[in-house]
Amino acid sequence: MNEFKDWNQKVKKTFNATSKESVLTVTEAGMAIGLFKDQMKLYVDKHKLTKVPISRSVHRYLLLKSEIDRIVALQ
C-alpha cells in the first residue's frame, strides 16, 4: 500500500532542491507566524508577500522562507 504524501510537501521538496531560494507552504508559514491557514492567506494578500505559483493550480502557491523569517524576526 502506498504511503500518503501531501502534494504541497512534494512540490516544496522539488522546488527547494532545484532553487537557491527556500520556500514554505502556506500552512508552515502560518504556523511560524501564529496564524491558521485561512488567516495566513489573508495576511499574504494584505501584505503583498511573494507568491511562488504552483503550475497545476491557480489557488495553490508557496511562500518565500526569507520573507517569513523577516516577519518572525520583527515579532
Side-chain angles (χ1 to χ4, degrees):
M1 188 166 136
N2 291 338
E3 181 180 330
F4 171 77
K5 291 189 180 181
D6 182 3
W7 193 76
N8 289 336
Q9 289 296 329
K10 288 196 286 190
V11 172
K12 175 189 155 192
K13 181 178 178 182
T14 301
F15 185 91
N16 283 339
T18 60
S19 174
K20 294 178 184 177
E21 191 76 45
S22 294
V23 292
L24 297 172
T25 65
V26 175
T27 302
E28 291 171 331
M31 287 180 4
I33 296 174
L35 300 173
F36 294 108
K37 182 178 180 178
D38 291 337
Q39 294 171 318
M40 187 63 197
K41 287 182 177 183
L42 295 173
Y43 186 92
V44 167
D45 290 336
K46 181 178 178 183
H47 296 282
K48 299 185 184 346
L49 298 181
T50 304
K51 295 178 183 179
V52 178
I54 296 174
S55 61
R56 283 182 153 182
S57 175
V58 175
H59 303 290
R60 290 183 180 203
Y61 51 86
L62 300 169
L63 300 169
L64 297 177
K65 185 177 183 303
S66 58
E67 288 184 344
I68 302 304
D69 288 344
R70 277 194 300 264
I71 294 167
V72 170
L74 294 173
Q75 291 183 347

